[in-house]
Amino acid sequence: MAALARAQPFRCGPACLGRPLLREAGGAAARRGGPGARRGAGGSQVLGKDFKRGIALSAGSFLVYETYRLISRFAEVHASFKVEEVIEQADYLYGSGETEKLYRLLVQHKNSEDAELWWRLARASRDLAQLSSTSAEEKKQLVYEALEYAKKALEKNESNFAAHKWYAICISDVGDYEGIKAKIANAFVIKEHFQKAIELNPKDATSIHLMGIWCYSFAEMPWYQRKIAAMLFATPPTSTYKEVQKEALELLNSI
């Protein structure tokens, strides 16, 4: 019976047998200070080193990530300050009538992603096109450039009243190169964007004034031009003197 009792623990098979034997061998080696003990101590040291290395790598990754975040924030702030500085310089040059200097300043930032810079560049391009010293070829190029910059400003920020205003002005200028049909078709777009500019900023005297000019132009349109417009479009743009008076009153109220 005693022999049977001693044999019972081994019924679980060879896999169970190996575990107690390994524990016993390790214990015996440790008591004797043999190779098993050294390997056990070495294993603990390796595990400790791996653990420390893992902590160091984690800490290093965290520091790299935090550094990246700080640099990104600094770059954003720096870019913001730079844009504000350029806008401040641009407004000073515009107020001083330095059209060529203003254009040179802003065209350096034509790849910007800021609507405020883009509509100012559209305005500067158009103003440069209007100078008597600008050749006919350069004028045409600048007029189309101005429209492109105004369009970018509008796409970037549809809530920017100045972007709507300068888009309307620039598309009107382009009509001079694209014929009567395009000019009449653009008239609808021009009116829409002037109205949007006024809606976004009811105190902007320029938008109200230009809306008044638009109304007056179509109220004063000669009969033959109306005839041409009616041939080209089922419902050509129209206006009345009453609308002109309304825009004039709004202009007076905005002052």
Side-chain angles (χ1 to χ4, degrees), residues 218-243:
F218 283 97
E220 280 283 295
M221 183 183 287
W223 67 268
Y224 65 90
Q225 289 185 4
R226 290 181 188 276
K227 203 78 172 175
I228 294 170
M231 289 171 62
L232 296 172
F233 299 92
T235 53
T238 58
S239 187
T240 63
Y241 290 111
K242 189 173 181 180
E243 288 180 305

Side-chain angles (χ1 to χ4, degrees), residues 77-222:
V77 171
H78 180 68
S80 175
F81 279 132
K82 187 175 181 181
V83 167
E84 288 176 6
E85 287 174 7
V86 172
I87 289 173
E88 187 178 347
Q89 291 175 36
D91 289 347
Y92 173 78
L93 290 172
Y94 180 75
S96 304
E98 298 282 358
T99 304
E100 293 180 5
K101 287 183 181 178
L102 173 61
Y103 176 80
R104 286 198 298 270
L105 169 69
L106 290 173
V107 81
Q108 296 176 57
H109 305 280
K110 66 180 180 179
N111 294 323
S112 169
E113 293 296 321
D114 194 282
E116 291 291 330
L117 282 176
W118 271 332
W119 74 252
R120 283 173 169 82
L121 181 53
R123 181 182 65 184
S125 301
R126 182 184 184 273
D127 287 350
L128 188 59
Q130 301 296 316
L131 294 180
S132 58
S133 57
T134 304
S135 68
E137 186 180 344
E138 288 173 330
K139 179 178 180 179
K140 183 177 179 180
Q141 183 181 339
L142 286 165
V143 163
Y144 277 93
E145 278 182 15
L147 177 60
E148 190 61 30
Y149 296 138
K151 185 179 178 182
K152 285 183 178 181
L154 198 57
E155 288 172 350
K156 188 66 178 178
N157 186 0
E158 289 186 353
S159 298
N160 189 309
F161 85 94
H164 284 278
K165 175 173 69 178
W166 285 101
Y167 182 75
I169 293 169
C170 293
I171 203 169
S172 176
D173 291 342
V174 165
D176 293 338
Y177 298 97
E178 299 190 345
I180 186 67
K181 186 174 180 179
K183 197 157 190 170
I184 293 173
N186 288 341
F188 294 102
V189 182
I190 293 165
K191 182 181 181 180
E192 177 189 340
H193 286 283
F194 278 144
Q195 287 176 331
K196 188 64 178 177
I198 294 167
E199 179 188 324
L200 290 168
N201 185 1
K203 295 294 183 182
D204 183 53
T206 306
S207 297
I208 298 169
H209 172 67
L210 292 171
M211 186 69 248
I213 291 175
W214 187 97
C215 292
Y216 183 78
S217 298
F218 283 97
E220 280 283 295
M221 183 183 287

